[in-house]
Each structure stands twice: as structure tokens, then as C-alpha cells.
Amino acid sequence: MSAPLFRFATLATQKFGFKSTMTTIPSRLAQMTRISSSRAEARLRVIDLYRAWVRTAPEICTIYALNVTPAYLRHCIRQKFEQNRHVTDQRAIEVLLLKGQQELQETLNCWKQPDHIYGILLQNTQRPQRSFLQKFYEGRDEDAVLPAASGVVI
């Protein structure tokens, strides 16, 4: 490790009380893929993942020099978890857990650019509520169309 980078890592450790990810080993956050045996176990794993994301919010803000507060980042993390609150299928929950852990590992290991954080994590993907006439003028009504992969048989 070069001297300036080592000095930065040492200062970050002293000032913020955590180890800078510049000096971390990528396998530090790696986990074996596992499958939950019940919904209760899956729920506990989701809560653990949520806590891991929330605990690392200040570190993410520092690593990527984001122009947002850790509280706002925590709010965005909460929104992302709330978007999937309705999921009850055990396999879908496992996939979401795997993706969430993967995102956390990639984020903390600096395998992303700040634009990825702003675009994926902090961007609000919900569209504003539209009236029937607004949808009509656009020429489409997404609510009336079922995606082919929805699993709903008519």
C-alpha cells in the first residue's frame, strides 16, 4: 500500500472509528449462499440485512463522499426494503436476500461509482399517481395490462 493511501486509511480509522474500506479484503463481506428453512428464518435474515445496511450508512456516505446525510441514506434504504414488503414467496425472498447482500458487499468494497449510489439507491423510482385521462392521453394503461411473467392465469 502506498504511503498516502495508508495515511488516509489511518486517519479515517482514527477520525470516524471504523476501518476504511480502502484497506479491506473483499472477502470480508462474502457469505455462503444459504436457503432459509422457514418464513420466520427468512424474516430474521431480512432484518439482519436491513440492520447491516443501516449501520453502514455513515461509512457509505464517507467512502463515496455523498452530498446526503446518513439519515437520508437510511431513509432511502428503508424505502427500498418497504418496496418488497409484500413479497411472500419463499424463493423470491431468497433471491432478494441474495441481491441485497451482493449490493451491500459491492457498495462497501468500493466496486461502484458514486453515480451508481445516487442512481440506484437514492433515486425514487415510483411514478406520480395519474388519473384515467392522463393515462388515456399517454395511450396506455399499465394497470389494465398483466405482464407475461406475473404468474396470474386468467
Side-chain angles (χ1 to χ4, degrees):
M1 183 184 305
S2 66
L5 186 59
F6 181 74
R7 219 173 303 127
F8 171 76
T10 306
L11 288 173
T13 303
Q14 292 169 353
K15 184 172 181 180
F16 299 110
F18 59 82
K19 213 171 187 184
S20 171
T21 56
M22 300 262 191
T23 60
T24 61
I25 301 169
S27 62
R28 159 179 87 106
L29 299 164
Q31 290 184 354
M32 293 288 293
T33 304
R34 61 179 200 232
I35 297 175
S36 303
S37 59
S38 66
R39 284 188 61 187
E41 183 183 348
R43 181 179 181 277
L44 291 175
R45 288 181 57 209
V46 169
I47 291 170
D48 286 343
L49 180 62
Y50 174 74
R51 286 181 180 160
W53 271 102
V54 168
R55 283 186 194 120
T56 58
E59 187 175 356
I60 293 170
C61 288
T62 304
I63 291 170
Y64 291 99
L66 300 178
N67 265 350
V68 297
T69 63
Y72 179 72
L73 185 60
R74 287 184 188 109
H75 171 72
C76 292
I77 291 167
R78 170 93 182 200
Q79 283 182 334
K80 291 291 183 187
F81 274 83
E82 289 288 335
Q83 285 176 354
N84 297 315
R85 183 179 208 124
H86 67 281
V87 178
T88 57
D89 183 21
Q90 189 74 25
R91 293 173 296 179
I93 292 171
E94 294 300 325
V95 169
L96 290 170
L97 277 167
L98 176 68
K99 286 183 177 183
Q101 182 62 35
Q102 198 172 18
E103 285 289 321
L104 180 63
Q105 181 181 9
E106 290 173 2
T107 302
L108 291 178
N109 285 329
C110 294
W111 294 344
K112 295 183 177 196
Q113 298 295 316
D115 292 339
H116 294 131
I117 305 297
Y118 282 118
I120 296 170
L121 192 60
L122 301 176
Q123 184 181 34
N124 188 5
T125 56
Q126 292 180 348
R127 293 175 57 182
Q129 191 73 307
R130 298 172 321 206
S131 68
F132 171 77
L133 284 177
Q134 288 171 328
K135 293 177 191 176
F136 179 77
Y137 294 146
E138 288 178 10
R140 60 178 169 247
D141 186 11
E142 291 94 3
D143 299 334
V145 178
L146 288 176
S150 68
V152 177
V153 179
I154 298 176

